[in-house]
Amino acid sequence: MHVLIVEDEASLAKELVHFLSQEHYKCDWAATGRDASEKIAVNLYDFILLDLGLPDYNGLTLLQEARQLDHEPAILILTARGSLEERIEGLDLGADDYLPKPFSLLELQARMQAVLRRKFKIKSSVLAFHGLELDHSTRRVTHQATEISLTKKEFDLLHYLLLHKNRILTRLQLTEHIWGNLLEDDYDSNYIDVHIKNLRKKLAAYITDEWLETVRGVGYRLTT
Amino acid sequence: MRLQSKLTLFSALSKIILFLLLVVLLPPLIHRVALHNTDQRLLEQKEQVLRMVEEQGIENFILEGDNSAYGSYNLLKEEFISMEKVAPGLEVDSIGNSLRKVEGEVVDYRVLSLTFQIADQTYLLEIGRSIATIRESIDILQQYALIFLVVVVVLTAFVDLAFTKILLRPLLLIIRRLQRIGHPSTFQPTKLASTTTDFVYLNDTINNMMGQVQAAFLKEKEFIGNVSHELLTPVSILQNRMENLLADPDTPEHLLIKLVDNQRTLHRLKSIIQALLLISRIENEQYLKNEEVEIKMLVGEVVEEIRDRAEAREVALEMDLSDDWTLVQANESLLFTMLFNVVNNAIKYNRPGGKVILTGRLAKKGYELCVTDTGVGIAAAQLPHIFSRFKRLHAPDGESHGLGLPIVQTIAQFHRIKLSVTSEPGEGTTFCFRFPNT
């Protein structure tokens, strides 16, 4: 997977490159719109992460340029200028998704995977673990054709843990994913603990070994 | 009072004053005119009589001898002419009022008296015209003048009214346009088709002023956009850096816990910035109100989203919506946030085994949706301050930045929803939203 990161903030780009490289993406970075424009013309990117707030270039123009390419790279807009009009315009111009800054890297990865699945049918929507299968498109969890009934939140939580298996997810990261960008007064990690407890209870009948590790004071890790 | 009424009233008043002045001044004026006319006539008659005397000789009128005189009256005693000899040395040439007895009847006359001499003999000529006749003609004149005046005043008043109406139409247009402005950004400058330069000037001034206001709003919008970018970018960097550190296998475990604490603090900073941005964006009308929202649907969605939180807290969540209501021109996601925050608080500040009830009823002027909890309640002293920004109330977790309720209030105001709170410490709190009739 060849990814172009168009981002004028060097520090942020550095973290993105670091994270995506860990996840086995091949990354290029363009700090200016002009640089990005050249890179897009020369290389065949599968994915473009586009910051709209570029100092030298209108991000939407860049988006149109990328859209005219034959191999149709997936485009994800990353923006802190979260004006609604800009987002809608971006999606209208053919971006596959947008993620308002600040975002979690885990969220970014989940979104990228979703885009890839939709666009290229690369990934199957079924994830398997410990003899269970989670189908993202039908939102079902099954054990040998037996469906395990989960609430919406429980399903989302399990799916997220599974997407990032073998990695510690903090309660905050889980909360942000489950409750989206709903602006709240505060966040309450207890809700996550309650959901985890229920998940464990529901899956206990099907999974015998330890599948969800609690890392004290940090968070949870789904192990395979 | 409106300008048009004032102008009409003024012109009517000025006409009435003029009219009254005329009514007062007219009689003496007409009287004088009539007298003048009478005197002119008397003088003309005098000339005629003198010519006749000259042509025919005085003897034709006055016989020789004493006590001889000439007198002529018309039948109704309106006029008389008399000539008589008088003692020499008497010289009269005057016009004046005097009483004469004519056939046993005293009549008031306007009399021209003149002495003239023919052959050393002095004669006195008197020509009289009864004043009653003069008065009559004056009365008639006055009547006509009055009628004419009244008609003129009434007519011009109506003409004035119509004219000021036409004249002030551009002003009315300007006022209507100003009334239609909901928010400065909706204002469209238009040219005013009027020949009255003052109105054109007024309209241009308003256009100009609104242009400045719009520019200021645009600046504000840009500023908020820039600030959000400037503030959220470093937060973004920090957040991702911490995530990478958390995922780094080289990070020792005791630092992981510190990192999680950092993450929480950063999250707090982020949500404060986002809350402030949300409030200012709403206040700058950067959100559209172009959706129809059904209250029942909205409440259903909020309850669906938050039900498991209620379960986690062992709080029963009940809905009791007897009527439905559709909000036109609303923003669904903002309304969702508003209601979610209130219900979330009702759950958070509740006790295990408590209840949260959402009731919806058609009220007198619209619809009322209330969220009632059985929680800790809010002290009466704190009630007035719960919507102020950065007022920290009893957050059990100490993580609250106190912007939840200000957001609720801002969204409510944005939709012209009346928000009220009643609370009984230890018993619970009720938040009510009164949706206006459209």
Side-chain angles (χ1 to χ4, degrees):
Chain A
M1 273 286 163
H2 202 176
V3 182
L4 176 66
I5 297 163
V6 185
E7 169 61 63
D8 55 319
E9 278 292 335
S11 315
L12 189 61
K14 202 174 104 192
E15 298 304 327
L16 285 172
V17 171
H18 176 88
F19 171 78
L20 291 172
S21 306
Q22 296 276 313
E23 299 293 326
H24 313 296
Y25 289 94
K26 183 168 174 280
C27 296
D28 285 359
W29 170 44
T32 64
R34 196 170 0 164
D35 185 15
S37 183
E38 281 169 17
K39 282 198 162 80
I40 288 173
V42 175
N43 303 308
L44 294 177
Y45 291 107
D46 304 292
F47 226 112
I48 300 172
L49 302 181
L50 179 59
D51 175 14
L52 286 181
L54 293 168
D56 67 325
Y57 218 84
N58 182 347
L60 294 172
T61 316
L62 204 57
L63 180 60
Q64 278 169 307
E65 283 176 30
R67 267 285 148 259
Q68 282 153 7
L69 298 170
D70 292 335
H71 66 284
E72 294 190 1
I75 298 172
L76 210 157
I77 293 176
L78 308 175
T79 181
R81 291 178 194 279
S83 84
L84 200 66
E85 299 93 337
E86 217 172 26
R87 292 177 189 179
I88 291 167
E89 200 177 351
L91 291 176
D92 281 348
L93 283 172
D96 295 285
D97 201 352
Y98 77 84
L99 200 51
K101 285 184 194 172
F103 52 83
S104 157
L105 292 170
L106 304 180
E107 195 64 47
L108 172 70
Q109 198 199 351
R111 295 286 192 97
M112 282 172 79
Q113 301 229 7
V115 168
L116 291 174
R117 204 169 35 235
R118 274 204 309 271
K119 219 178 158 69
F120 304 118
K121 310 276 187 290
I122 287 176
K123 294 185 180 293
S124 141
S125 62
V126 178
L127 297 166
F129 70 111
H130 296 280
L132 298 186
E133 284 191 341
L134 180 144
D135 187 336
H136 182 232
S137 59
T138 58
R139 298 186 60 87
R140 287 159 49 126
V141 178
T142 50
H143 177 262
Q144 295 165 1
T146 318
E147 191 180 336
I148 302 161
S149 144
L150 298 179
T151 66
K152 181 177 176 294
K153 294 270 181 288
E154 286 161 359
F155 179 90
D156 287 341
L157 205 56
L158 183 59
H159 182 225
Y160 206 57
L161 284 162
L162 200 47
L163 273 180
H164 304 291
K165 57 182 188 243
N166 301 322
R167 173 198 280 275
I168 303 174
L169 273 66
T170 64
R171 290 178 177 81
L172 182 62
Q173 285 170 321
L174 292 169
T175 302
E176 282 197 323
H177 174 70
I178 296 293
W179 299 98
N181 283 319
L182 191 71
L183 199 55
E184 293 184 62
D185 218 307
D186 56 351
Y187 99 95
D188 191 335
S189 57
N190 292 344
Y191 291 131
I192 293 296
D193 292 341
V194 172
H195 285 310
I196 294 284
K197 204 175 83 196
N198 291 339
L199 261 179
R200 277 194 170 128
K201 219 185 294 177
K202 284 183 179 177
L203 300 192
Y206 307 95
I207 309 176
T208 45
D209 47 0
E210 179 60 41
W211 63 279
L212 187 62
E213 184 192 343
T214 307
V215 184
R216 260 190 56 135
V218 184
Y220 298 98
R221 172 163 41 198
L222 190 147
T223 51
T224 49
Chain B
M1 204 174 193
R2 290 186 46 200
L3 182 59
Q4 193 184 320
S5 332
K6 278 191 175 176
L7 282 173
T8 313
L9 206 68
F10 171 75
S11 74
L13 267 176
S14 65
K15 286 198 178 61
I16 285 166
I17 287 168
L18 202 68
F19 171 72
L20 287 175
L21 265 177
L22 279 173
V23 166
V24 171
L25 291 176
L26 204 60
L29 209 74
I30 287 183
H31 189 76
R32 283 194 59 174
V33 168
L35 268 189
H36 178 79
N37 284 349
T38 309
D39 292 357
Q40 282 293 330
R41 215 170 130 180
L42 288 175
L43 286 171
E44 279 166 22
Q45 283 174 328
K46 173 194 85 175
E47 294 297 323
Q48 274 180 328
V49 170
L50 288 180
R51 249 203 324 276
M52 282 164 80
V53 169
E54 220 171 307
E55 285 167 5
Q56 300 174 16
I58 190 79
E59 300 81 12
N60 266 339
F61 299 94
I62 300 175
L63 300 171
E64 289 297 317
D66 293 339
N67 313 336
S68 166
Y70 168 84
S72 153
Y73 296 86
N74 68 358
L75 197 62
L76 297 175
K77 310 185 196 72
E78 285 165 342
E79 292 181 332
F80 74 86
I81 298 178
S82 73
M83 274 186 276
E84 57 188 332
K85 287 181 188 167
V86 292
L90 184 72
E91 271 192 39
V92 186
D93 182 1
S94 68
I95 298 181
N97 295 358
S98 67
L99 294 167
R100 296 297 163 93
K101 199 166 177 175
V102 183
E103 295 174 5
E105 200 180 321
V106 181
V107 182
D108 202 351
Y109 281 107
R110 182 84 176 161
V111 180
L112 177 145
S113 313
L114 178 75
T115 52
F116 58 97
Q117 289 174 328
I118 297 176
D120 294 340
Q121 180 65 57
T122 310
Y123 297 90
L124 171 68
L125 166 68
E126 287 190 320
I127 305 173
R129 193 173 158 75
S130 116
I131 285 184
T133 347
I134 298 172
R135 284 231 174 87
E136 257 168 42
S137 63
I138 287 177
D139 286 350
I140 288 167
L141 258 176
Q142 232 173 340
Q143 269 175 8
Y144 277 115
L146 269 178
I147 290 168
F148 175 74
L149 276 177
V150 169
V151 168
V152 164
V153 167
V154 170
L155 266 180
T156 51
F158 275 110
V159 170
D160 278 2
L161 187 64
F163 185 65
T164 49
K165 216 179 168 111
I166 291 167
L167 205 62
L168 293 179
R169 184 171 297 155
L171 186 65
L172 200 69
L173 277 176
I174 291 172
I175 291 169
R176 283 217 183 114
R177 277 182 50 216
L178 287 176
Q179 282 171 336
R180 274 204 302 269
I181 300 172
H183 185 263
S185 61
T186 61
F187 180 84
Q188 296 282 349
T190 45
K191 275 260 165 279
L192 186 73
S194 168
T195 50
T196 316
T197 47
D198 307 54
F199 289 145
V200 174
Y201 179 70
L202 174 67
N203 190 58
D204 289 350
T205 310
I206 288 171
N207 282 350
N208 197 350
M209 198 179 71
M210 288 305 291
Q212 286 174 7
V213 171
Q214 281 175 332
F217 262 96
L218 205 66
K219 255 205 177 115
E220 184 87 357
K221 260 189 185 179
E222 272 177 10
F223 176 73
I224 287 165
N226 293 340
V227 162
S228 64
H229 185 257
E230 294 307 319
L231 288 175
L232 291 174
T233 302
V235 171
S236 212
I237 296 167
L238 281 175
Q239 180 175 349
N240 295 349
R241 192 173 294 158
M242 278 178 212
E243 286 184 308
N244 279 334
L245 275 174
L246 272 166
D248 194 334
D250 296 341
T251 309
E253 198 159 325
H254 67 279
L255 285 186
L256 283 182
I257 295 172
K258 285 263 181 279
L259 276 173
V260 170
D261 286 344
N262 276 355
Q263 217 180 21
R264 285 177 74 109
T265 310
L266 187 64
H267 176 83
R268 204 162 127 190
L269 175 63
K270 185 169 87 171
S271 51
I272 290 172
I273 294 170
Q274 284 175 329
L276 286 174
L277 281 175
L278 178 72
I279 289 173
S280 68
R281 277 192 184 135
I282 296 169
E283 285 175 349
N284 277 302
E285 310 240 353
Q286 278 172 276
Y287 282 89
L288 299 171
K289 283 187 284 192
N290 55 356
E291 292 160 319
E292 286 195 357
V293 177
E294 287 173 18
I295 300 289
K296 261 190 179 162
M297 284 271 295
L298 181 77
V299 172
E301 281 166 12
V302 170
V303 166
E304 186 57 38
E305 183 72 12
I306 211 163
R307 187 174 289 288
D308 42 6
R309 289 193 180 195
E311 281 166 11
R313 291 252 177 192
E314 292 169 35
V315 170
L317 197 53
E318 294 174 14
M319 275 193 284
D320 174 19
L321 302 174
S322 51
D323 309 293
D324 200 3
W325 182 263
T326 306
L327 274 168
V328 288
Q329 291 188 326
N331 184 306
E332 191 172 5
S333 73
L334 286 181
L335 288 174
F336 185 94
T337 302
M338 176 182 87
L339 194 54
F340 185 92
N341 272 333
V342 170
V343 177
N344 193 36
N345 278 346
I347 293 169
K348 191 162 70 181
Y349 298 122
N350 221 313
R351 50 182 171 76
K355 248 198 327 199
V356 174
I357 309 170
L358 288 102
T359 48
R361 302 249 175 293
L362 280 173
K364 221 178 291 178
K365 284 182 197 156
Y367 187 86
E368 194 166 63
L369 178 71
C370 293
V371 181
T372 308
D373 65 47
T374 55
V376 290
I378 304 164
Q382 283 191 320
L383 261 187
H385 307 295
I386 57 169
F387 294 113
S388 2
R389 290 166 209 184
F390 295 115
K391 259 279 195 273
R392 298 286 297 271
L393 296 175
H394 46 248
D397 42 15
E399 284 283 317
S400 162
H401 51 66
L403 286 171
L405 286 176
I407 288 173
V408 168
Q409 191 190 33
T410 308
I411 296 174
Q413 280 169 349
F414 182 59
H415 287 89
R416 297 203 178 83
I417 297 166
K418 210 169 159 290
L419 187 57
S420 59
V421 193
T422 51
S423 185
E424 193 65 53
E427 295 289 314
T429 308
T430 300
F431 277 85
C432 282
F433 301 97
R434 173 70 65 86
F435 299 93
N437 253 328
T438 36

